[in-house]
Amino acid sequence: MNAALSQDEPGFERACLEFLQLPDQVQASGLRVRGLSEKELGPTACDLLRRAYCDDAGLTADLHAPGVEEAKKAVAKINLAREMLQTYAPDWAREFDLLAPQIYLAVNEDPTKSGFVGATVFAAFGSILVNSDKIDRLPTVLMTLVHESSHAKLFLYHLDDPVLLNKDTERYTSPLRSSPRPMEGIFHAAWVSARMVQSATCILDNGFCGSDAEELRRQSTQASIIYQDCATEIQRHARMTPLGRQLFDDAQRAMSDVRC
């Protein structure tokens, strides 16, 4: 698409050849978790996904698949988290299955980097990227699945219509980044944080207990703080479209219900 829009004929031809080289795969039903590697995906698919997930902050610019044992542990944690969603928040589980039936595992090449926990991009819709080094506990996996699939849901809402009129060059304070970022990133952060709080509340209210419950409650509280910080920036600086206003008002009401 980018090559066509820029009238880059050689680039367009190369892109077409890449797609022709992709293997025909029948997607099995249910969640599928794989490493972001040429061995598991093939060189072309792996390259396309790497480029799709490469972010502007450099957090996902140097990735490789985890080792065999690390991948097995991550797959087990993710499958357990999906089972917990089904048990304690079945509506959230069904939504996740529709939004992100494919998960790719990756870690940073440079171990000294703080790295990323997860990533979602519209160019790889239907999948999420998860850092297997960062999902140490069940609550973290649960919140990562909700966080990343919530980005995908918001992509669907403004697929054709914008939610904001702020320019991409405008930068504002964000609680999730050390440097200012565009308002759309802050809007996304608010949206997914609200949904993390909602889903955690649902899971806890339906009987999830023990030490993992306490950790989930702590992460939910942190998400609530992030939401409030983002919401303050949105109220001060965002120029929302009617759709954006509706989505933001829905998030505000949801957070008010949770607090009640």
Side-chain angles (χ1 to χ4, degrees):
M1 181 188 71
N2 290 334
L5 290 173
S6 62
Q7 299 185 12
D8 177 7
E9 291 188 27
F12 183 78
E13 291 294 334
R14 285 194 300 272
C16 289
L17 288 173
E18 285 184 335
F19 276 105
L20 289 173
Q21 291 168 13
L22 288 171
D24 292 329
Q25 294 183 347
V26 178
Q27 175 64 40
S29 60
L31 182 62
R32 190 173 186 184
V33 186
R34 292 178 288 176
L36 187 66
S37 69
E38 292 187 1
K39 182 178 180 180
E40 292 193 66
L41 306 174
T44 303
C46 185
D47 181 59
L48 287 170
L49 284 167
R50 282 176 182 274
R51 281 189 276 163
Y53 280 117
C54 189
D55 70 335
D56 57 348
L59 296 175
T60 57
D62 62 335
L63 300 174
H64 67 86
V68 175
E69 289 304 314
E70 290 78 7
K72 284 182 180 178
K73 292 177 183 177
V75 170
K77 291 176 183 177
I78 290 169
N79 285 332
L80 177 60
R82 170 59 186 77
E83 291 174 11
M84 291 299 99
L85 270 181
Q86 182 62 46
T87 301
Y88 296 101
D91 288 344
W92 289 86
R94 283 191 290 272
E95 182 183 84
F96 176 79
D97 290 345
L98 292 171
L99 292 169
Q102 298 180 48
I103 296 179
Y104 297 107
L105 301 173
V107 296
N108 288 105
E109 294 275 4
D110 183 355
T112 64
K113 274 191 173 182
S114 60
F116 70 102
V117 178
T120 310
V121 293
F122 184 69
F125 188 83
S127 71
I128 62 176
L129 184 71
V130 173
N131 187 337
S132 56
D133 283 346
K134 300 293 185 179
I135 49 172
D136 54 342
R137 295 186 62 175
L138 177 60
T140 303
V141 189
L142 283 167
M143 290 294 91
T144 298
L145 298 186
V146 171
H147 181 115
E148 299 305 334
S149 61
S150 294
H151 280 300
K153 185 169 185 176
L154 187 52
F155 286 144
L156 287 180
Y157 276 125
H158 65 95
L159 181 61
D160 297 315
D161 300 304
V163 295
L164 298 167
L165 300 176
N166 299 73
K167 295 180 180 178
D168 290 341
T169 54
E170 299 175 33
R171 294 289 190 272
Y172 302 96
T173 302
S174 169
L176 295 178
R177 295 283 177 88
S178 58
S179 58
R181 66 191 303 199
M183 181 54 66
E184 184 170 340
I186 297 172
F187 194 94
H188 262 263
W191 168 268
V192 302
S193 296
R195 283 173 53 84
M196 289 167 70
V197 174
Q198 285 180 279
S199 62
T201 300
C202 179
I203 293 168
L204 292 166
D205 286 350
N206 284 332
F208 190 66
C209 58
S211 60
D212 281 337
E214 290 306 310
E215 173 61 17
L216 182 60
R217 190 171 285 108
R218 186 196 68 79
Q219 293 192 24
S220 175
T221 300
Q222 183 62 31
S224 180
I225 294 170
I226 291 172
Y227 174 82
Q228 294 303 328
D229 289 346
C230 290
T232 298
E233 286 296 293
I234 291 169
Q235 290 168 323
R236 287 176 178 170
H237 304 294
R239 298 192 296 279
M240 289 177 271
T241 64
L243 173 61
R245 171 55 65 182
Q246 178 184 342
L247 292 173
F248 182 64
D249 288 347
D250 287 345
Q252 289 279 70
R253 279 193 295 273
M255 290 298 291
S256 295
D257 292 341
V258 168
R259 286 192 292 271
C260 292

